[in-house]
Amino acid sequence: MPHRLLSHFLFALLFIASSASWTGASAQFNPKPGARAGSVVTTPRVRAELVAHAPEGVGPGQPLWLGLQITHQPEWHTYWKNPGDSGLPTELAWTLPAGLTAGDIAWPVPHTIRIGTLANHGYEGTVLLPVPVQVGPDFKAPLAGNGTLDVRLRATWLVCRVECIPEEGEFALQLPVRGSTALHAAAFAQSQADQPLALAGTSQVQVQGERLQLRVHGLPAAARGQTLALFAETPEVLVPAAVSGKDWTQAWDGDAWTADLPLSPQRGDTPERLPLVLALEQRPADRAAPHAWRTVADVNGTWAAAARASVSPALAAALEANQAASPTPAPTSASLGTLLAALAGGLLGGLLLNLMPCVFPVLAIKVLGFAQHGSNRRAQRLAGAAYTGGVVLSFLALGGLLLGLRAAGEQLGWGFQLQSPAVVALLAALFTLIGLNLAGLFEFGQFVPRRLATLQARHPVGDAFLSGVLAVAIASPCTAPFMGASLGFAVAMPGAQALAVFAALGLGMALPYLAASLVPAVVGWLPRPGPWMATFRHAMAFPMFATVVWLVWVLGQQSGIDGAGALLALLVTGCALVWSLTLRGRTRMVIASCLIAGGAWLASAIGQNITKPVERAAQVAVGANSAWHAWSAERTAELMTAGQPVFVDFTAAWCVTCQYNKRTTLTDSSVLADFAERKVALLRADWTRRDPAITAALAQLGRSGVPVYVLYAPGKAPVVLTEILSVAEVRQALAAL
């Protein structure tokens, strides 16, 4: 069957292209000096971009965020609202349409930047400074034009390294009134996660001479006993260099955090209240987990305003070189028991992966290969070994790519390749082509030289190897029992140990077919080659087309109805082109030329809709009365603080196991009744597109893929349920609340 070799070759090209696109995402930023392009201003030191987030469009009562995203070159930094010993905060001046009012910057928590003997509060790397925008009741959407609003910003910032350079930029953005603007949803979500949470407890400041005693109540249990960093929002109250050094003490007195700090000699008059931000010195691995809190302390006592000293020495010291950042610690080796458990889980998970419905279309075609070999035992053994090699090496390649990108700072998990709409669209095109071939519309030998068309027959071992590659590509988004925990362990292990787990996973998946090739009795159960093979081949076209339907649905979840419609239109055009190539004479040339030209025009006109993102949060709940709501780490923490149990469904549209569980166990009437009886909040974390917050939450649970089901209860450890969810398991977990 020569169609299989070419289909595998096309997939290999797709795999390389998708790998290159992910790798390119982590390339170093290298701007051109002075470049300006609408919403982007680029200097040799930073790249600043005006971004927006309007998940439900622009209208009264609808959430709307604007923000300035600054990407710093290495060793450069900008400043927080209180810059510390030196520096200036970033300032934003907005020009907005009537009815829109911009609020203050929702400052993310800074970190301390040591410059010689001084300490500054600021940002390095990439930071988003979000600003909430209120849409007034008198706002009127434009009736004419292109339905967009003209948003303008003038921003100024001070960027420092050895020297400090003031910079500014003029920005313009066309904001669509209707439809979501969610291209930067992940950045806004991470910025929100980086903002301090308000403390409900009381805080007091007692002034004693030139020092200040602070006592803070209400910090969460996760912070107790931890070392905290302190940032005063009011400039020139504390001494930043002392707060970040040894000239202060902190301690825990039960559930109260206490500190003794020196007052700044440049302080002003005594305020009645002092806003402060407390942050964990060691930030949790979960980037979305709460790690900073804001409190406003009542001030008891007074301090005299000291004569303001000259700041020239401070400014001179600000020009000293910044201290180098500490290197990221390498992953620690797993114990022998942990490694063996991960290997066993990977082997069992890979074995059960053959039962997942997403694997069936490819593996069903593999049955034809076993039947074709008949009684040729040598050919059967070689095919089984080659198939196993293709599966294992593909898992190693995907695992190596995943580990490499995570080491480079990318927040990725298992199934990451199907989080790219471009990869989903290319897979849909590939499986449409294979389905048309299986249905008998064409043979690849019609379009390629005879020598290439007979490669499969002349190199069956290579064909079996590529069959394994294709099987892994389809199976990788699925998660089988035992597989989730093993992958969670793997991504935290050193490279060699992690790759061993991926190899065990591949060996488990290939094991049934390797056994079939080695045990004659298994192959003997298959019927002899005959006319039934042609019928079976035609029947297998329909699982291929069903896979295409699934992929189009997945793309619709990622890029909306316009993206799915664009893909369907291009697939129909492609099918017509394949049909035209089966014609003869001048008719073939004329129709094919017209279809090629039409397809090119269609791709240029609507192709961009395929990769255009849509906001997923608003689509989580199904129906007006749905009990499910969009997940966020903050929402989970709020519900837990209020004493309410929470059930979280970590899911993705491309995960077939997730969809099966969602439509069976999670819609069972007895399960829903138990949720309601115990007042369990239901949250759904949608990982269809890349979401660093969800990736971090999965990593904290020891998982690297979906599905994951977690039951949180106040005062108890999270309960992680199995990937193949059953009604009995969920009800048993709820009964233990």
Side-chain angles (χ1 to χ4, degrees):
M1 294 173 54
H3 72 279
R4 293 201 298 171
L5 184 60
L6 186 55
S7 66
H8 299 333
F9 174 74
L10 291 174
F11 174 75
L13 292 179
L14 168 63
F15 184 84
I16 294 172
S18 64
S19 301
S21 65
W22 285 103
T23 305
S26 62
Q28 183 181 2
F29 161 62
N30 186 21
K32 296 181 179 180
R36 291 172 180 258
S39 62
V40 177
V41 171
T42 304
T43 76
R45 292 155 289 277
V46 304
R47 178 186 186 274
E49 181 179 7
L50 172 60
V51 295
H53 180 53
E56 301 177 17
V58 181
Q62 304 291 356
L64 171 60
W65 288 83
L66 299 174
L68 184 67
Q69 188 174 58
I70 302 177
T71 301
H72 305 81
Q73 286 282 34
E75 302 181 358
W76 292 88
H77 60 268
T78 52
Y79 295 93
W80 187 50
K81 62 191 304 182
N82 173 11
D85 281 326
S86 64
L88 294 171
T90 300
E91 296 183 355
L92 307 179
W94 299 94
T95 302
L96 302 177
L100 301 184
T101 305
D104 296 329
I105 297 174
W107 294 92
V109 177
H111 65 274
T112 300
I113 303 170
R114 302 289 302 191
I115 305 176
T117 60
L118 305 182
N120 292 333
H121 307 322
Y123 310 98
E124 298 170 305
T126 298
V127 64
L128 173 62
L129 304 179
V131 173
V133 178
Q134 182 178 1
V135 183
D138 57 343
F139 170 77
K140 295 182 179 180
L143 301 178
N146 57 2
T148 61
L149 300 175
D150 186 21
V151 175
R152 296 187 178 274
L153 168 67
R154 184 178 186 274
T156 59
W157 60 88
L158 182 68
V159 57
C160 296
R161 186 182 59 177
V162 176
E163 67 277 18
C164 290
I165 300 175
E167 295 182 342
E168 63 180 16
E170 300 279 349
F171 302 83
L173 182 67
Q174 296 297 314
L175 183 64
V177 177
R178 296 177 177 84
S180 65
T181 302
L183 180 62
H184 300 278
F188 278 93
Q190 186 60 58
S191 180
Q192 183 179 7
D194 289 337
Q195 293 169 20
L197 302 178
L199 281 184
T202 59
S203 302
Q204 296 88 30
V205 167
Q206 182 69 42
V207 180
Q208 293 187 355
E210 294 295 312
R211 298 191 70 84
L212 177 149
Q213 279 77 42
L214 174 64
R215 189 175 185 88
V216 179
H217 295 271
L219 287 164
R224 293 172 191 169
Q226 302 288 327
T227 301
L228 304 182
L230 175 65
F231 305 95
E233 291 187 356
T234 305
E236 298 181 343
V237 171
L238 304 177
V239 181
V243 171
S244 62
K246 299 180 179 179
D247 193 17
W248 75 304
T249 59
Q250 61 173 295
W252 285 89
D253 183 8
D255 62 351
W257 182 80
T258 63
D260 180 87
L261 312 108
L263 287 169
S264 170
Q266 285 84 39
R267 61 187 181 271
D269 295 331
T270 306
E272 295 182 357
R273 310 190 76 192
L274 187 62
L276 302 167
V277 172
L278 302 173
L280 296 176
E281 285 277 14
Q282 296 294 329
R283 182 165 180 175
D286 180 1
R287 299 288 296 177
H291 64 97
W293 300 269
R294 183 180 186 272
T295 184
V296 180
D298 295 322
V299 179
N300 299 319
T302 59
W303 61 65
R308 295 184 179 271
S310 172
V311 295
S312 298
L315 292 177
L319 301 180
E320 298 179 10
N322 292 347
Q323 293 183 341
S326 300
T328 302
T332 57
S333 297
S335 66
L336 180 60
T338 302
L339 178 59
L340 291 177
L343 291 173
L347 186 68
L348 290 173
L351 186 64
L352 294 175
L353 198 59
N354 291 285
L355 303 178
M356 298 297 103
C358 52
V359 186
F360 174 74
V362 174
L363 301 188
I365 296 176
K366 186 63 184 170
V367 174
L368 286 176
F370 279 94
Q372 277 184 319
H373 292 309
S375 60
N376 188 339
R377 296 296 304 141
R378 182 177 181 274
Q380 291 169 356
R381 289 193 295 268
L382 287 176
Y387 177 81
T388 302
V391 171
V392 173
L393 290 179
S394 297
F395 268 107
L396 287 174
L398 274 177
L401 181 63
L402 172 61
L403 295 173
L405 292 177
R406 286 174 70 98
E410 295 289 330
Q411 291 292 320
L412 302 175
W414 189 245
F416 66 95
Q417 64 276 21
L418 285 190
Q419 291 178 327
S420 167
V423 174
V424 173
L426 288 173
L427 281 175
L430 173 62
F431 279 93
T432 300
L433 191 64
I434 295 175
L436 293 176
N437 174 258
L438 291 173
L441 178 65
F442 75 99
E443 295 292 342
F444 285 106
Q446 297 175 244
F447 310 133
V448 297
R450 180 177 179 83
R451 182 173 179 81
L452 182 61
T454 59
L455 276 177
Q456 187 269 344
R458 291 185 288 110
H459 301 284
V461 174
D463 177 69
F465 177 87
L466 292 175
S467 294
V469 174
L470 189 59
V472 172
I474 302 303
S476 58
C478 295
T479 303
F482 309 108
M483 183 175 164
S486 296
L487 290 178
F489 282 128
V491 296
M493 292 177 177
Q497 295 182 2
L499 291 178
V501 176
F502 283 104
L505 184 59
L507 180 61
M509 179 178 173
L511 195 57
Y513 300 92
L514 181 62
S517 67
L518 297 177
V519 180
V522 176
V523 182
W525 297 337
L526 298 175
R528 295 180 179 275
W532 70 271
M533 296 177 63
T535 303
F536 185 80
R537 172 187 171 180
H538 294 159
M540 285 301 99
F542 296 99
M544 286 296 172
F545 292 139
T547 304
V548 174
V549 171
W550 167 60
L551 289 170
V552 172
W553 178 78
V554 169
L555 186 76
Q557 305 301 304
Q558 296 174 329
S559 302
I561 189 65
D562 291 341
L567 177 58
L568 286 172
L570 291 173
L571 289 178
V572 170
T573 304
C575 292
L577 177 60
V578 171
W579 165 77
S580 70
L581 295 176
T582 65
L583 303 177
R584 298 181 179 275
R586 178 174 296 181
T587 303
R588 169 179 175 173
M589 181 178 297
V590 172
I591 297 180
S593 299
C594 292
L595 287 171
I596 291 173
W601 175 83
L602 198 64
S604 64
I606 63 175
Q608 68 274 11
N609 291 333
I610 292 176
T611 56
K612 182 180 179 181
V614 295
E615 175 62 35
R616 291 283 307 159
Q619 302 178 17
V620 170
V622 181
N625 299 320
S626 174
W628 291 92
H629 301 279
W631 171 91
S632 70
E634 294 78 8
R635 178 61 175 163
T636 304
E638 290 174 3
L639 292 169
M640 292 282 289
T641 303
Q644 185 174 5
V646 180
F647 182 85
V648 181
D649 172 17
F650 291 91
T651 184
W654 40 261
C655 171
V656 178
T657 311
C658 303
Q659 304 310 317
Y660 174 80
N661 291 334
K662 185 185 300 183
R663 286 159 175 75
T664 54
T665 301
L666 294 182
T667 57
D668 184 84
S669 57
S670 61
V671 170
L672 294 177
D674 282 354
F675 280 139
E677 180 182 353
R678 291 167 173 80
K679 295 181 173 56
V680 178
L682 303 178
L683 303 182
R684 184 158 282 154
D686 193 335
W687 207 39
T688 300
R689 274 185 175 266
R690 291 179 60 189
D691 189 323
I694 295 178
T695 306
L698 290 172
Q700 187 180 36
L701 294 167
R703 294 294 188 269
S704 185
V706 290
V708 173
Y709 305 99
V710 189
L711 181 61
Y712 297 92
K716 297 183 179 180
V719 178
V720 181
L721 307 181
T722 61
E723 289 87 350
I724 307 298
L725 202 61
S726 68
V727 171
E729 182 184 12
V730 177
R731 299 194 67 184
Q732 182 179 359
L734 292 174
L737 290 177

